[in-house]
Amino acid sequence: MSFEHDLEARLRALANLGLHRAPDPAKEGLLDFASNDYLGIGARRRAVTATGSARASRLVRGDSPEVRALESRVAEWLGTGSALVFASGYAANVGVISALAEKGDLIVSDALNHASIIDGCRLSGAAIHVAPHLCVLAARETLLAHRATGRGRRWIVTESYFGMDADRPDLASLRVLADECDAGLLVDEAHAFGARGPQGRGELAAAGVRADAVVGTFGKALGGGGAFVAGSALLIEWLWNRARSFVFSTGMSPVLALATRAAFEEALAGDALRQLLEATTTALRQGLMSLGRGELSAPLGEGAVIPIAVRDVETAVAIQLKAREVGLHVQAIRPPTASPRLRLSAHASLRYEDVSRLLSFLKAERFT
C-alpha cells in the first residue's frame, strides 16, 4: 500500500469512529460558547507598530526588546524572579517538563492533565505515575516510596483549573506534599490566568501558594498569543539552555509581543470584565439548573467552563451541528481529548439574551 493510500485508509478509520477533524471557517459567524476568550479581549483587534519576524531563534538572532519587556511584565505581575516566552502553551509545557525531569526521576501527573503535559512527561524519560484525578493521598504514597529509594528527583505536575472538567486541585495540599517529599511543583494555569484569582493572577494567587514553575498562556483570557513559564531566575536560565521547544524555535515576533503586551495590560485592569464573566457564568449555570432536566440540573464543576456529558460521540457531534443551524457555536469534545461531551464556556462579552438563546436551544435537546 502506498503512503497516500495508507493515510487515506487511516483517515477513513477515524471518520468511521466519528473522530475525524477538519478546519471550519464557518464558526467565525456563530455566537461563541466554545472558545477560551473568557474576558472577550481576544476578539478585539489592535494596531501595533514594530518590525515583523523574529528571524531566528532567540539564542541566535531572534531576541528583541519587545519580548523581553513582555517577560519582565509577566514576572513582575506574578512576583516571580523571571519569565520566559514560548510559542504556545503546548510548547511551554513540553519544554519545561522535559527540561527539568530526566531518567531516574519520578513525575506524578494528574489523570486529567492536558496532552501537552502528558507529552512533556513522556519526552523527559522519567518514570510517570498517573495519579487519580485530584487525589493527593495517592500521589503522596508514590512520592514517599520513590524518595525512600534515594534515586532521582520527584515532580508533581497539575493544572490549576481543568479546562475540560471545570474543577481544580487542592494547591495548598500539593505544596505541602511537594515540600514533604522533596518534590518540585509544576502548575499549568492556562485556563486560570486573567479569568480567576485576585486581579486575574490565577489559582495559585487565590490559594496563596508558590509553585516552582508556572505555565500560563496569553491566548486564552489574556487575549494575546503565545505562552510563558514563570519562576526563579535560575529556572529561566536552565530553560534557555535545555528547553528544546524554546531553544530550537524561532523567537516570538516583536509585533506579536507588542500586541500581546497590550492585551495583557487590558486583562490586568479587567476587574470589571471579570465581574461580567462571573455574572454570565452564574446566569448560564443557574439557567441550566432551571431547565428541570436531569442531565442539566447539576452543572459539573465551577467557573466559566461547563461540561455536559453526552451518550456518545455521534450525539455530541449532532448537537454541535444543530446548534450551528441556529447560529450558536457549541463545541463537541471527543476522544482523545476527553470523553464525549459538550463543552460550554462563558465569556464577559455575552449578553443576557445570548445566554437565553443557548438555554432555549439546550432545552429541546437530548443528551443521554
Side-chain angles (χ1 to χ4, degrees), residues 82-228:
S82 295
L84 186 66
V85 165
F86 284 75
S88 67
Y90 186 97
N93 272 327
V94 166
V96 67
I97 296 170
S98 63
L100 289 174
E102 60 187 18
K103 187 175 181 179
D105 291 357
L106 171 71
I107 300 174
V108 174
S109 177
D110 189 282
L112 296 186
N113 274 340
H114 188 266
S116 58
I117 294 176
I118 296 170
D119 290 352
C121 294
R122 290 171 175 169
L123 286 171
S124 72
I128 305 165
H129 173 76
V130 180
H133 185 47
L134 306 182
C135 184
V136 176
L137 181 60
R140 182 176 185 273
E141 293 173 355
T142 302
L143 288 164
L144 287 174
H146 184 269
R147 189 181 68 170
T149 68
R151 298 192 303 269
R153 307 174 188 84
R154 286 157 295 284
W155 310 93
I156 302 170
V157 187
T158 185
E159 298 181 44
S160 71
Y161 177 74
F162 286 84
M164 284 294 159
D165 294 84
D167 53 10
R168 54 198 174 98
D170 183 344
L171 292 171
S173 293
L174 289 178
R175 179 70 264 176
V176 170
L177 176 62
D179 293 340
E180 178 188 3
C181 299
D182 298 319
L185 177 62
L186 283 66
V187 178
D188 180 0
E189 292 253 45
H191 288 275
F193 276 136
R196 299 176 66 82
Q199 295 82 49
R201 287 187 291 120
E203 295 288 353
L204 284 164
V209 171
R210 175 191 60 83
D212 298 291
V214 184
V215 174
T217 58
F218 297 119
K220 294 182 172 64
L222 295 180
F228 62 87

Side-chain angles (χ1 to χ4, degrees), residues 1-365:
M1 180 181 292
S2 72
F3 174 74
E4 293 293 330
H5 286 160
D6 177 58
L7 281 181
E8 186 177 25
R10 291 161 72 181
L11 284 168
R12 277 200 305 270
L14 281 179
N16 290 338
L17 293 171
L19 303 180
H20 182 267
R21 295 165 170 83
D24 185 8
K27 290 177 179 177
E28 291 302 314
L30 304 178
L31 185 58
D32 178 17
F33 284 96
S35 80
N36 300 317
D37 186 18
Y38 300 119
L39 301 182
I41 294 174
R44 295 193 281 278
R45 300 291 186 261
R46 296 170 188 80
V48 297
T49 302
T51 56
S53 169
R55 299 175 292 169
S57 71
R58 290 184 60 191
L59 286 166
V60 178
R61 184 67 186 257
D63 205 10
S64 71
E66 292 86 355
V67 175
R68 284 194 172 271
L70 177 60
E71 290 170 339
S72 295
R73 191 69 177 94
V74 169
E76 177 188 16
W77 181 51
L78 295 179
T80 60
S82 295
L84 186 66
V85 165
F86 284 75
S88 67
Y90 186 97
N93 272 327
V94 166
V96 67
I97 296 170
S98 63
L100 289 174
E102 60 187 18
K103 187 175 181 179
D105 291 357
L106 171 71
I107 300 174
V108 174
S109 177
D110 189 282
L112 296 186
N113 274 340
H114 188 266
S116 58
I117 294 176
I118 296 170
D119 290 352
C121 294
R122 290 171 175 169
L123 286 171
S124 72
I128 305 165
H129 173 76
V130 180
H133 185 47
L134 306 182
C135 184
V136 176
L137 181 60
R140 182 176 185 273
E141 293 173 355
T142 302
L143 288 164
L144 287 174
H146 184 269
R147 189 181 68 170
T149 68
R151 298 192 303 269
R153 307 174 188 84
R154 286 157 295 284
W155 310 93
I156 302 170
V157 187
T158 185
E159 298 181 44
S160 71
Y161 177 74
F162 286 84
M164 284 294 159
D165 294 84
D167 53 10
R168 54 198 174 98
D170 183 344
L171 292 171
S173 293
L174 289 178
R175 179 70 264 176
V176 170
L177 176 62
D179 293 340
E180 178 188 3
C181 299
D182 298 319
L185 177 62
L186 283 66
V187 178
D188 180 0
E189 292 253 45
H191 288 275
F193 276 136
R196 299 176 66 82
Q199 295 82 49
R201 287 187 291 120
E203 295 288 353
L204 284 164
V209 171
R210 175 191 60 83
D212 298 291
V214 184
V215 174
T217 58
F218 297 119
K220 294 182 172 64
L222 295 180
F228 62 87
V229 175
S232 69
L234 282 175
L235 168 67
I236 301 309
E237 183 179 356
W238 180 254
L239 296 181
W240 267 89
N241 287 274
R242 285 293 182 264
R244 292 172 66 85
S245 58
F246 169 81
V247 172
F248 298 106
S249 291
T250 297
M252 176 183 276
S253 156
V255 174
L256 178 57
L258 279 178
T260 297
R261 172 71 182 275
F264 179 76
E265 297 297 345
E266 189 174 350
L268 293 193
D271 281 345
L273 292 175
R274 281 180 280 276
Q275 290 169 8
L276 283 173
L277 175 62
E278 180 64 27
T280 304
T281 298
T282 300
L284 183 52
R285 286 182 171 273
Q286 289 181 348
L288 288 171
M289 289 188 283
S290 71
L291 293 180
R293 296 267 303 279
E295 65 269 45
L296 298 176
S297 60
L300 296 177
E302 60 181 279
V305 174
I306 305 176
I308 299 177
V310 299
R311 178 174 60 251
D312 49 35
V313 167
E314 291 76 16
T315 301
V317 172
I319 294 173
Q320 176 178 311
L321 294 176
K322 287 181 182 179
R324 173 182 299 179
E325 293 174 359
V326 295
L328 302 172
H329 184 190
V330 175
Q331 185 63 41
I333 300 298
R334 298 169 279 174
T337 305
S339 58
R341 67 189 65 186
L342 299 175
R343 180 187 183 272
L344 307 179
S345 57
H347 308 111
S349 55
L350 291 168
R351 303 165 299 174
Y352 176 79
E353 52 265 38
D354 297 331
V355 174
S356 295
R357 278 181 60 189
L358 176 66
L359 293 172
S360 296
F361 168 76
L362 293 175
K363 185 176 183 179
E365 296 302 317

